[in-house]
Amino acid sequence: MKWFCFLSIFVISNALAGCSNFDSNEQIEVSPSFDNEFGEMFGVKEKIGIIGGQVTAGEDQKWMWHFWGEEVQYKEFSAVAINIGTNEEIDPIKIDYEMLIPTEDGLISHSPSQEMFPSEGIWKVKAYVDDEFFEEFVVEVFP
């Protein structure tokens, strides 16, 4: 009986701990800006970069997504965003062209889109290519 009680407590505590998307001790920092031949971007250098201005809650924002690597050419992309403070999960992309078109050198593929974040805060954005995780970055959404 003691073994069953211990196992039950262990399973319940792990299930409750799994409800949060983020470890409270995890240090989350906004992704840095960087420059390249297309201009100033934020994201993960030489992996994923976004051209777009300051993001304001509740307002449409135009972004130009850039993905590095030949394996992403002519594939569809999507994203999931999670508010670090509230664990709210959304699809931030409201309008996109779905397919990543390669640049002339074929090393970077890009696509325009329109995003909207419903509330201010720090948001972790997970990018997917053909429904497979590609990369994540963190953006601050202002009031």
Side-chain angles (χ1 to χ4, degrees):
M1 182 67 169
K2 286 182 183 180
W3 184 82
F4 178 75
C5 289
F6 173 76
L7 181 61
S8 297
I9 291 170
F10 178 77
V11 168
I12 291 170
S13 65
N14 280 336
L16 291 174
C19 290
S20 174
N21 289 325
F22 301 103
D23 178 354
S24 60
N25 296 323
E26 182 180 3
Q27 198 66 285
I28 304 291
E29 295 183 19
V30 173
S31 296
S33 295
F34 55 91
D35 290 317
N36 69 17
E37 64 268 26
F38 300 105
E40 185 177 356
M41 300 181 175
F42 61 89
V44 179
K45 191 172 185 174
E46 296 185 11
K47 187 74 173 175
I48 187 169
I50 307 294
I51 295 177
Q54 177 177 303
V55 181
T56 303
E59 293 183 9
D60 290 339
Q61 175 79 35
K62 292 181 182 178
W63 279 4
M64 178 63 85
W65 295 74
H66 295 79
F67 291 76
W68 275 255
E70 293 179 10
E71 71 277 6
V72 301
Q73 293 179 2
Y74 303 108
K75 293 187 178 176
E76 293 184 7
F77 76 99
S78 60
V80 172
I82 303 160
N83 184 304
I84 304 278
T86 66
N87 282 333
E88 176 182 10
E89 188 172 309
I90 64 164
D91 176 355
I93 301 174
K94 302 306 170 197
I95 299 172
D96 70 8
Y97 291 88
E98 296 180 356
M99 191 174 294
L100 294 166
I101 306 300
T103 56
E104 287 183 24
D105 63 12
L107 299 177
I108 301 172
S109 294
H110 57 98
S111 181
S113 69
Q114 184 174 322
E115 273 63 37
M116 204 279 290
F117 292 82
S119 59
E120 66 182 282
I122 306 298
W123 290 79
K124 183 178 278 190
V125 179
K126 296 182 176 190
Y128 296 84
V129 175
D130 278 354
D131 296 324
E132 290 188 31
F133 177 76
F134 183 78
E135 185 60 75
E136 65 185 23
F137 57 92
V138 177
V139 62
E140 183 172 5
V141 177
F142 294 90

